[in-house]
């Protein structure tokens, strides 16, 4: 049994919801970090019913908005005096290039930058609560970032934008893990498997047909959560940090994705956009 606080972003569906149920079943205090109030309340009720754990809380924020994340963190810090685990799970695919009110491409903003802010603003709380863990949801779809077209300014393709955002999750994991060495906070990232979830809902046309044809080979969110859970709770992972996990094993990202130059570029860009120094 664990007795401390766990934040899961995107806990209203797919992998995040399946992880949330498992965490709630372990009687942790669960904080669901979600963008849609109604969905979040319905999910909370379902989780309480299935886990018999009423210690489930909702924080409403949109990760694509830096302002929204900052406000949410202020609320979290007022309400929760400690934080054992942060699971940066929320993710999306944005079919048509969209620039947020704050001028950021929406896939990058939702999948990476919002989580950068959330994590960086919660690090001090996690340090005080150490030993603590940060888990970032990456993907085997990650690809080397083209920093000259990161926002799709030259040419936008939703899958390319998604691939870059997932590479950013990995680079951030490695960079932050080094920074937090010896603080008692571990930082790892994980590919959840190819999962039957809502993330594919926006995809239309030929790619929709393709996904439909291979859908039976995708794993369920519950199976994905089973693969990820040891990273959250097992003592075996207590001292492991700065790794990328696929099917329970630490692996290297794809060739060329992780290098010091790209880590620095991402770090500088994140710091410039958020005014938060890693
Ligand atoms: N499914 C796969 O095959 C696969 C493969 C590799 C990696 N992943 C990664 O696994 C993670 C979970 O994805 P999933 O497959 O479980 O997808 P999903 O079922 O679509 O769930 C995504 C969750 O993220 C939330 N979300 C999306 N954008 C948000 C935003 N701007 N602010 C706050 N919350 C937001 C969604 O909220 P709403 O419910 O309000 O939409 C939902 O709760 C993602 O990081 C994804 O990249 C998935």
């Amino acid at each position: 049994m664990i007795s401390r606080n766990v934040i899961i972003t995107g806990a209203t569906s797919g992998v995040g919801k399946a992880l949330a149920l498992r965490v709630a079943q372990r009687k942790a205090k669960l904080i669901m970090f979600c963008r849609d109030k109604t969905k979040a309340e319905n999910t909370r009720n379902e989780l309480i019913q299935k886990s018999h754990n009423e210690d489930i809380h909702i924080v409403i924020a949109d990760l694509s908005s830096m302002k929204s994340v900052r406000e949410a963190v202020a609320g979290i810090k007022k309400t929760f005096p400690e934080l054992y685990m942060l699971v940066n799970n929320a993710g999306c695919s944005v079919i048509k290039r969209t620039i947020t009110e704050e001028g950021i491409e929406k896939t990058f903003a939702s999948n990476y930058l919002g989580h950068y802010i959330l994590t960086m603003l919660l690090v001090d709380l996690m340090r005080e609560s150490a030993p603590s863990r940060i888990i970032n949801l990456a993907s085997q779809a990650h690809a080397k970032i083209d920093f000259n077209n990161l926002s799709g300014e030259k040419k936008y393709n939703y899958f390319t934008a998604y691939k870059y955002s997932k590479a950013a999750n990995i680079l951030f994991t490695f960079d932050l893990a080094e920074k937090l060495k010896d603080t008692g906070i571990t930082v790892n990232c994980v590919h959840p498997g190819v999962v039957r979830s809502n993330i594919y809902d926006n995809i239309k046309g030929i790619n929709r047909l393709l996904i439909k044809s291979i859908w039976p080979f995708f794993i369920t969110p519950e199976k994905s959560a089973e693969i990820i859970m040891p990273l959250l709770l097992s003592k075996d992972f207590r001292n492991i940090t700065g790794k990328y996990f696929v099917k329970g094993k630490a692996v290297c990202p794809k060739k060329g994705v992780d290098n010091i130059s790209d880590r620095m570029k991402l770090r500088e860009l994140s710091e410039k956009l958020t005014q938060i120094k890693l």
Side-chain angles (χ1 to χ4, degrees):
M1 187 197 289
I2 54 176
S3 60
R4 292 197 284 167
N5 304 354
V6 176
I7 294 181
I8 301 180
T9 68
T12 46
S13 84
V15 179
K17 185 175 170 186
L19 284 172
L21 176 60
R22 284 177 172 253
V23 165
Q25 284 168 334
R26 300 293 292 261
K27 306 297 174 213
K29 185 191 286 289
L30 171 66
I31 302 148
M32 303 167 55
F33 189 102
C34 305
R35 64 178 163 182
D36 184 312
K37 193 164 183 274
T38 309
K39 263 193 193 176
E41 280 168 358
N42 290 340
T43 306
R44 178 176 179 269
N45 291 339
E46 190 184 327
L47 293 175
I48 290 174
Q49 201 186 26
K50 288 186 176 162
S51 66
H52 307 291
N53 177 359
E54 301 219 344
D55 206 358
I56 301 179
H57 309 261
I58 294 171
V59 172
I60 296 297
D62 185 336
L63 282 155
S64 70
S65 157
M66 297 194 266
K67 181 170 174 280
S68 173
V69 177
R70 283 177 195 274
E71 286 169 2
V73 171
I76 290 171
K77 285 186 168 175
K78 267 193 207 145
T79 318
F80 304 101
E82 61 166 26
L83 179 58
Y84 168 60
M85 190 172 311
L86 172 62
V87 184
N88 289 321
N89 160 81
C92 63
S93 191
V94 181
I95 302 298
K96 192 170 175 295
R97 184 170 187 257
T98 308
I99 302 298
T100 67
E101 276 180 13
E102 294 161 322
I104 319 285
E105 190 281 311
K106 200 171 178 183
T107 321
F108 184 76
S110 314
N111 296 1
Y112 167 70
L113 201 64
H115 283 125
Y116 174 88
I117 299 178
L118 180 65
T119 307
M120 296 308 297
L121 295 182
L122 288 173
V123 155
D124 54 350
L125 190 59
M126 299 194 79
R127 203 191 297 252
E128 286 162 21
S129 318
S132 44
R133 302 183 190 191
I134 298 169
I135 314 288
N136 296 320
L137 270 283
S139 169
Q140 269 298 71
H142 67 267
K144 184 172 167 57
I145 300 171
D146 175 359
F147 283 92
N148 294 318
N149 190 39
L150 179 59
S151 303
E153 52 270 58
K154 288 184 187 150
K155 187 172 183 231
Y156 184 78
N157 172 282
Y158 71 88
F159 195 35
T160 305
Y162 179 79
K163 288 172 176 185
Y164 292 168
S165 73
K166 293 287 119 181
N169 294 145
I170 296 175
L171 295 180
F172 176 51
T173 300
F174 292 171
D175 212 15
L176 186 63
E178 272 182 21
K179 278 273 163 192
L180 296 181
K181 216 157 71 185
D182 305 323
T183 60
I185 308 175
T186 61
V187 193
N188 292 293
C189 57
V190 60
H191 166 65
V194 183
V195 187
R196 282 178 218 157
S197 78
N198 297 344
I199 205 158
Y200 299 100
D201 282 1
N202 295 338
I203 299 170
K204 307 275 183 260
I206 185 86
N207 289 335
R208 169 114 225 119
L209 292 176
L210 180 70
I211 287 164
K212 262 191 152 179
S213 70
I214 53 176
W215 193 254
F217 301 103
F218 290 12
I219 61 173
T220 62
E222 291 70 31
K223 179 68 194 167
S224 174
E226 189 185 314
I227 297 166
I228 298 169
M229 275 310 280
L231 280 179
L232 274 68
L233 299 183
S234 167
K235 286 187 178 150
D236 297 346
F237 292 91
R238 198 170 28 191
N239 298 317
I240 293 178
T241 191
K243 301 287 182 206
Y244 171 46
F245 288 92
V246 176
K247 291 185 183 167
K249 289 204 168 63
V251 300
C252 292
K254 286 180 190 162
K255 208 164 163 231
V257 168
D258 177 38
N259 57 73
I260 294 299
S261 160
D262 283 5
R263 275 198 217 179
M264 287 307 122
K265 278 185 198 160
L266 182 68
R267 187 200 289 193
E268 278 165 18
L269 179 66
S270 311
E271 290 180 345
K272 189 174 150 209
L273 294 172
T274 64
Q275 297 299 309
I276 303 171
K277 271 209 165 306
L278 194 140

